[in-house]
């Protein structure tokens, strides 16, 4: 069997910012932003803050986080932690436990204050590193 | 000014697979999958192939790539490379040049052959590392 991923060099993610949230622990976090998550601050590092130019209040954006408490050795989970459901591969779920624990969050920009964005709703816990921000594409573009 | 991203440790991305495409260079690649991109193979490493369990032919999935030819020092670009358009921050664009050059691709699963998925359309070039795969959420979930 081909082992495609062997021999490809690992890449180093440098966080561009951090989530400041009232959610302190993973146990307190809803499973998705739409499930009662609060708004939070996304504090962007001064060195990359120029990259925010063009983001406007009221828009939806995609925030990519590094779910630093994710268990990277996990390959199968019971969806939504429900043990009555059969195991599924992590790539067929949004589990934070996965080989590269990237979180993908579609949020609305509520406010912009210098290099801080008020965004939400978002289920990421306080201190979660942010690694990228992207615009939402229209259906025609995606 | 807060420098939020200082002091957060970098994270190491281990590729889970690779794109095998007929697109050989960045100059040949369309800007989005919807703009005439071909289908491609996503070869998943044997060590993580169990994570694919539950992905089915005909579904749309999100593929997250590491755009290894991206220029990480770029913070502003002319959208779509059009120099008649004003500079925008990279976080307001889908430019592959950005501090963490992650690519986000919504694709359809055409075929599954062991640990290889035929997917498309996708604009990533041959040899692009894949770092995560996620299901598309319904509007109610996101």
């Amino acid at each position: 069997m081909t082992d495609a991923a062997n021999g490809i060099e690992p890449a180093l993610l440098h966080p561009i910012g951090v989530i400041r949230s009232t959610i302190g622990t993973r146990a307190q976090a809803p499973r998705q932003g739409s499930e009662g998550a609060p708004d939070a601050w996304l504090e962007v590092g001064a060195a990359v803050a120029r990259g925010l130019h063009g983001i406007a209040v009221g828009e939806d954006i995609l925030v990519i986080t590094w779910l630093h408490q994710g268990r990277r050795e996990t390959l199968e989970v019971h969806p939504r932690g429900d043990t009555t459901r059969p195991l599924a591969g992590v790539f067929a779920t949004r589990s934070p436990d996965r080989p590269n624990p990237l979180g993908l969050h579609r949020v609305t920009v509520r406010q912009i204050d210098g290099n801080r964005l008020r965004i939400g709703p978002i289920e990421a816990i306080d201190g979660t590193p942010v690694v990228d921000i992207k615009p939402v594409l229209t259906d025609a573009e995606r």
Side-chain angles (χ1 to χ4, degrees), chain A:
Chain A
M1 190 185 287
T2 320
D3 199 352
N6 275 349
I8 305 186
E9 286 187 15
L12 204 57
L13 279 178
H14 294 285
I16 61 156
V18 66
I19 297 292
R20 298 297 179 201
S21 175
T22 53
I23 305 176
T25 67
R26 206 174 135 163
Q28 293 167 346
R31 292 183 176 273
Q32 297 297 333
S34 57
E35 299 176 30
D39 290 347
W41 286 103
L42 192 178
E43 294 185 3
V44 171
V48 298
R50 263 199 308 143
L52 297 175
H53 179 63
I55 294 179
V57 171
E59 284 182 348
D60 273 16
I61 57 174
L62 298 173
V63 173
I64 304 182
T65 56
W66 181 255
L67 302 169
H68 55 306
Q69 296 191 4
R71 290 178 284 268
R72 304 186 66 172
E73 66 285 2
T74 301
L75 291 174
E76 291 178 297
V77 293
H78 294 286
R80 300 183 60 84
D82 178 350
T83 54
T84 67
R85 295 177 65 176
L87 282 170
V90 290
F91 301 133
T93 80
R94 289 289 185 113
S95 171
D97 301 321
R98 52 203 311 117
N100 293 303
L102 294 166
L104 179 63
H105 317 265
R106 181 175 175 152
V107 297
T108 303
V109 180
R110 313 286 192 194
Q111 183 183 342
I112 300 177
D113 172 22
N115 59 347
R116 301 195 313 156
L117 305 181
R118 185 76 178 164
I119 57 168
I122 184 163
E123 73 281 13
I125 69 174
D126 187 57
T128 299
V130 173
V131 296
D132 203 6
I133 302 170
K134 294 183 188 297
V136 174
L137 295 180
T138 63
D139 280 352
E141 292 170 313
R142 75 187 185 187

